[in-house]
Amino acid sequence: MASLHMQDYDEVTAFLGHWGHFQQSVFFLLCASVLPNGFGSFSLIFLTDIPRHHCLVPDINLTEDWHQDVNLTNLEQEGCVDGWSYSKDIYKSTIVSEFDLVCSEEWKQPFTSTVYFMGVLVGSFFSGQLSDRFGRKPVLFLTMALQTLFTFVQIFSSSWTVFCILLFISGLGQISNYVSAFVLGTEIFTGNVRVLFSSMGVCLAFAFGFMMLPLFAYFLRDWTYLLLGISLPGLLYFPLWWLIPESPRWLLSQGRVEEAENIVKYAAKKNKVEAPQVIFDDYDSPVIIQSTYILGMNRISYIATMFYLTYVYRFTLSTGYFGLSLNTSRLHADPFISCFISAAVEVPAYITSWLALQYLPRRLAVVSILLLGGVSLYFIQLVPHGLSYLSITLEMVGKFGITTGTALMFVYTAELFPTVLRNTATGMCTTVSRVGSCIAPFLLKLSQYFKYLPYITLGTLAVVSAFATVFLPESFGRPLPQTIEQMHKRER
């Protein structure tokens, strides 16, 4: 019998069916594990929001609007020696009011988000390699625990510096568990279910988590209560360790054939179908290239090209996605409505990505949607001042395009790389993309120099990436490669 390779995996396990009880339970459990990422990733929208404030004037009976009745133009100015008074109209407290991140300390407000995304960057880099080395499942639950624990511990921060250190550690697990869940599902599911999971399942779960965030923030307007509210749900996920299996594909790539067969036989039992006595007969374990040597592997020109191109796309999409998402407080006078609008746009975006993945070639889909997003952002500068809702609409169309592109590229990246490198490739691309998310908070500050400069910058990145997509190979309708050799053969 010919040696079994990963392109045969779908055929060998076809007796399981695509949508039995086993696949259904794993599908929904993995999607549920992603929910906290949605409200955790963007909690900084509310945690770092700047309330209205003015210098505290102690022990003097002045009205709330005293500063509007006095001409301060010709008076010598000095810092607020007695501190600041913060409005409680919207929030009871944020970290800005808690640690006085205003005036000369205002730079710390966007830098707080950057610190968080630096943690995400570092976590993405190491989690991808750890996942390829030790398995998808252990890294998934390790990063979930890291995220839950350190989000909770932030409540006890005694200073902005302590808060940032804990925020950085929390970021290590934030997107890392999303990537692990994504790759785990991509390798467990087959056929259209795999496309459904990777384009709509985890993405919609993330979007629903994001949509839940303004609800949390509306009722929990103190920053410590908000952190408590978004950390406690993480405790509900640890029993899933006994319900979510390891990836059989990954086990096969490590030569652990018996364990892979046990999982497939368990799946057959759950689906009430009969499994063959020997499933992976005469299996040839592929030559495993340790992910720690990934930089050395980049000397291979074809592999290097794939890595560098996907780096560019993911950097562009991450900068645009997080830049537009963190900008939600400026969309509407009510930050809770603004956040919900921004989150709700992601639902049709992910449905669109699923439809595109089902029926359109990958390159055509990515080019079209990035051009839509980029051009929409360009047009914002042409909107007359009195039509603010048209500007909001164009910005949301831009976010729709970039969000859809992000979902497409997650799937596209997983399809391009072989099993022995898939999680490392996904993790490294996510790492590079987090450089974009790190600069996104400061990119928004460019509006202080020219109002539309952030939109022009993001639109340009999207359009350039759209035209560069033609250099990627097509993966539509083709099996997932297991080895680098299969990756090369598929391109030929």
Side-chain angles (χ1 to χ4, degrees):
M1 179 184 289
S3 298
L4 175 67
H5 291 303
M6 196 54 60
Q7 67 261 36
D8 305 316
Y9 178 88
D10 292 356
E11 297 176 15
V12 171
T13 59
F15 65 90
L16 291 175
H18 293 306
W19 193 238
H21 182 67
F22 172 78
Q23 290 94 336
Q24 292 170 15
S25 62
V26 173
F27 187 102
F28 291 111
L29 290 175
L30 286 177
C31 288
S33 74
V34 170
L35 273 173
N37 292 85
F39 48 75
S41 295
F42 297 109
S43 59
L44 289 169
I45 293 173
F46 299 103
L47 294 173
T48 64
D49 206 2
I50 304 175
R52 289 191 300 110
H53 57 279
H54 58 77
C55 290
L56 180 65
V57 182
D59 301 326
I60 299 178
N61 187 18
L62 294 175
T63 64
E64 178 74 17
D65 299 323
W66 67 272
H67 47 82
Q68 297 179 10
D69 302 322
V70 179
N71 184 4
L72 302 176
T73 306
N74 298 322
L75 297 178
E76 184 179 350
Q77 296 187 12
E78 63 177 1
C80 297
V81 294
D82 296 303
W84 294 264
S85 176
Y86 297 92
S87 169
K88 299 185 184 296
D89 292 345
I90 299 177
Y91 308 105
K92 184 177 179 182
S93 69
T94 68
I95 68 164
V96 173
S97 61
E98 181 74 19
F99 303 122
D100 291 328
L101 308 183
V102 293
C103 296
S104 63
E105 301 290 298
E106 186 177 356
W107 65 271
K108 293 181 178 179
Q109 188 261 350
F111 188 67
T112 302
S113 299
T114 297
V115 168
Y116 172 75
F117 289 120
M118 287 172 64
V120 174
L121 185 155
V122 174
S124 300
F125 179 77
F126 287 108
S127 68
Q129 299 187 56
L130 290 172
S131 185
D132 278 340
R133 177 68 180 86
F134 299 105
R136 304 350 184 179
K137 180 178 174 180
V139 174
L140 169 64
F141 283 90
L142 174 65
T143 52
M144 285 174 64
L146 203 64
Q147 173 188 338
T148 300
L149 175 62
F150 283 92
T151 299
F152 173 75
V153 174
Q154 288 172 58
I155 295 170
F156 306 102
S157 302
S158 57
S159 66
W160 175 77
T161 302
V162 173
F163 180 86
C164 284
I165 292 172
L166 297 173
L167 184 66
F168 177 87
I169 299 174
S170 172
L172 293 174
Q174 179 55 246
I175 296 299
S176 300
N177 79 283
Y178 179 95
V179 172
S180 296
F182 173 85
V183 174
L184 180 57
T186 299
E187 294 181 348
I188 287 179
F189 304 123
T190 57
N192 291 335
V193 177
R194 185 178 70 215
V195 176
L196 178 67
F197 172 80
S198 55
S199 61
M200 268 221 311
V202 288
C203 295
L204 280 179
F206 185 91
F208 288 140
F210 190 3
M211 291 169 68
M212 291 167 61
L213 174 62
L215 184 66
F216 276 89
Y218 182 82
F219 290 105
L220 304 172
R221 302 200 183 198
D222 182 289
W223 69 277
T224 56
Y225 292 152
L226 179 57
L227 285 173
L228 181 64
I230 64 178
S231 63
L232 288 182
L235 299 175
L236 301 175
Y237 293 99
F238 294 108
L240 301 187
W241 174 269
W242 292 275
L243 301 175
I244 295 177
E246 181 56 272
S247 164
R249 292 180 190 262
W250 178 81
L251 290 170
L252 289 173
S253 75
Q254 304 296 305
R256 294 159 62 176
V257 181
E258 185 178 351
E259 292 176 66
E261 285 199 349
N262 289 338
I263 291 174
V264 174
K265 288 178 179 179
Y266 172 76
K269 182 179 178 181
K270 293 275 285 184
N271 289 353
K272 298 181 179 178
V273 296
E274 176 129 12
Q277 204 64 16
V278 178
I279 301 173
F280 303 114
D281 187 24
D282 196 21
Y283 177 77
D284 237 354
S285 179
V287 177
I288 299 173
I289 299 176
Q290 293 294 338
S291 57
T292 51
Y293 295 103
I294 188 72
L295 296 178
M297 191 191 64
N298 276 343
R299 298 192 186 112
I300 304 173
S301 60
Y302 177 74
I303 301 293
T305 301
M306 292 302 98
F307 269 100
Y308 296 143
L309 283 174
T310 50
Y311 290 166
V312 171
Y313 305 132
R314 296 291 291 276
F315 171 83
T316 297
L317 292 167
S318 181
T319 305
Y321 176 74
F322 285 98
L324 295 174
S325 297
L326 293 173
N327 194 45
T328 56
S329 60
R330 299 172 186 167
L331 292 179
H332 192 278
D334 189 323
F336 308 106
I337 294 177
S338 297
C339 183
F340 183 80
I341 291 173
S342 182
V345 165
E346 298 192 10
V347 175
Y350 294 134
I351 294 174
T352 301
S353 72
W354 173 68
L355 292 172
L357 289 167
Q358 287 281 86
Y359 302 109
L360 295 177
R362 303 295 185 247
R363 284 182 292 203
L364 174 63
V366 172
V367 169
S368 303
I369 206 68
L370 287 183
L371 286 177
L372 172 66
V375 172
S376 298
L377 295 176
Y378 275 137
F379 281 163
I380 293 177
Q381 61 186 310
L382 305 178
V383 177
H385 289 293
L387 299 177
S388 60
Y389 284 98
L390 179 56
S391 296
I392 293 174
T393 300
L394 286 173
E395 182 170 344
M396 289 299 97
V397 172
K399 187 184 178 187
F400 167 84
I402 289 177
T403 302
T404 306
T406 301
L408 290 173
M409 283 307 300
F410 253 107
V411 178
Y412 204 177
T413 302
E415 292 176 343
L416 289 175
F417 292 96
T419 299
V420 291
L421 293 173
R422 187 170 297 116
N423 212 80
T424 294
T426 305
M428 290 188 69
C429 288
T430 303
T431 299
V432 174
S433 74
R434 293 307 162 230
V435 176
S437 61
C438 287
I439 68 172
F442 288 99
L443 180 65
L444 299 177
K445 294 293 183 181
L446 293 177
S447 61
Q448 296 177 357
Y449 305 99
F450 178 54
K451 181 179 179 181
Y452 303 108
L453 189 53
Y455 300 117
I456 293 172
T457 304
L458 294 177
T460 301
L461 289 172
V463 171
V464 170
S465 294
F467 286 112
T469 303
V470 296
F471 295 104
L472 286 177
E474 184 56 66
S475 62
F476 180 55
R478 302 181 184 183
L480 292 177
Q482 159 115 346
T483 65
I484 294 174
E485 181 186 358
Q486 292 168 16
M487 183 181 176
H488 277 279
K489 286 181 179 178
R490 182 178 67 177
E491 176 58 15
R492 296 193 196 104

